[in-house]
Amino acid sequence: MWLINSSIGRKVVMSVTGIALILFLTFHCCMNLVAFFSGEGYNMICEFLGANWYAVVATLGLAALAVIHIVFAFILTAQNRKARGDNRYEVATTVNSGKVEWASKNMLVLGLIILIGLLLHLKDFWYNMMFAEIVGMQTALSPTDGFGWIKETFANPVFAVLYLIWFVAIWFHLAHGFWSAMQTLGISGKVWHKRWNCIGLIYVTLLMLGFAVVVLAFAFKCAPSLC
C-alpha cells in the first residue's frame, strides 16, 4: 500500500493525522477557555463527556491518530537520515537558499518534548478523570470535577512552568507542521506557500496563547471563574 510503503504516502499520513490532531487541540483549547470563565460550565462539559461510550471511542480514536503520527515521524526521520548519510547537515543548510527553519531541523526533538508533556498531561488529567471513572478508582477529587483538577494542578508553579514549556514546544512543532502539511497535500503552491505559512503562524499562536492564558490565570488565581 503506497500510504505505508512510499515516502510520499507516509508524508500524507503524517499530514492528515497532524491536521486531525490540530483540530482536536482547537476543541481542547475552546473547552479550557470555558474553565477560564465558568467552573460550573466546564464541569458540565466534563460530566457530559466523562466515561460515556462516545467519549471513550473518541479517546481511542485520538490515541490511534497520535500513535500513527508518532510512529510515522520516527520512520520518516530515520529514512531521511539514511538517505542523506554524512551529508545530512550540509543539505539542511543549503535548502531554501540557506534559510531553513529551526523547527524543521528539530522536529524529532520537539516531538519527543511534546510526547513527554503528553504523558504528564495524561497522568494529571485523563488518569484522574476518565480512567478513574471507568475503573471506579478513588481520587482526591471527583473524576468529573475537571475545574477542581485544573485548580489543583496549576496551583503548583512547577507544573505551570512545565506546561508552558510544553506549549512552546507544540508551537514550534505546529508552526512548521501546519504549512508543511498543506504543502504535502498539494494545497500550497508558489502563491499560497507564504500565505499558509502566515495563516499557520497566526492560528497556532492564538491556539497556544489560549492554552497558556488558562494556565497562567489559574497559576496566579486571576481567572474570572475563580472570583
Side-chain angles (χ1 to χ4, degrees):
M1 187 177 181
W2 75 275
L3 283 175
I4 298 175
N5 297 326
S6 71
S7 177
I8 295 177
R10 291 167 186 154
K11 289 180 180 178
V12 169
V13 172
M14 281 282 293
S15 299
V16 172
T17 54
I19 291 172
L21 292 172
I22 290 175
L23 291 175
F24 167 74
L25 285 176
T26 303
F27 164 76
H28 199 341
C29 182
C30 292
M31 183 175 169
N32 283 11
L33 289 173
V34 172
F36 178 79
F37 293 104
S38 171
E40 183 180 350
Y42 184 76
N43 279 348
M44 286 177 63
I45 297 174
C46 291
E47 188 174 356
F48 172 73
L49 296 175
N52 296 305
W53 68 268
Y54 45 83
V56 174
V57 170
T59 300
L60 292 174
L62 181 64
L65 286 173
V67 169
I68 292 171
H69 192 78
I70 292 169
V71 169
F72 273 68
F74 276 103
I75 292 174
L76 283 171
T77 300
Q79 176 184 305
N80 289 338
R81 284 176 178 268
K82 182 178 180 180
R84 292 174 179 174
D86 296 333
N87 296 321
R88 61 179 179 269
Y89 299 110
E90 180 182 346
V91 172
T93 58
T94 58
V95 176
N96 296 328
S97 301
K99 296 181 180 179
V100 178
E101 294 180 42
W102 179 87
S104 69
K105 295 188 291 182
N106 295 277
M107 289 295 275
L108 183 61
V109 175
L110 290 170
L112 289 173
I113 295 174
I114 293 169
L115 179 59
I116 293 171
L118 177 60
L119 294 175
L120 174 66
H121 182 63
L122 290 174
K123 188 271 294 182
D124 289 338
F125 294 97
W126 179 80
Y127 177 76
N128 288 312
M129 296 176 70
M130 179 181 282
F131 180 79
E133 189 175 352
I134 291 173
V135 301
M137 183 177 70
Q138 293 294 321
T139 54
L141 300 171
S142 169
T144 58
D145 185 14
F147 187 74
W149 286 110
I150 289 178
K151 286 195 298 182
E152 181 177 284
T153 301
F154 299 131
N156 186 328
V158 174
F159 282 104
V161 171
L162 287 175
Y163 271 85
L164 290 174
I165 293 173
W166 186 37
F167 297 153
V168 171
I170 295 175
W171 183 90
F172 275 109
H173 191 79
L174 295 185
H176 170 76
F178 187 94
W179 68 261
S180 179
M182 297 302 175
Q183 188 176 48
T184 297
L185 296 175
I187 302 175
S188 173
K190 290 183 178 179
V191 176
W192 273 92
H193 175 77
K194 290 185 177 180
R195 293 179 183 177
W196 278 123
N197 196 4
C198 182
I199 292 170
L201 284 174
I202 294 172
Y203 188 86
V204 300
T205 298
L206 291 175
L207 188 61
M208 290 302 106
L209 280 177
F211 283 111
V213 162
V214 174
V215 172
L216 291 171
F218 279 87
F220 290 100
K221 299 179 174 60
C222 58
S225 56
L226 293 172
C227 298

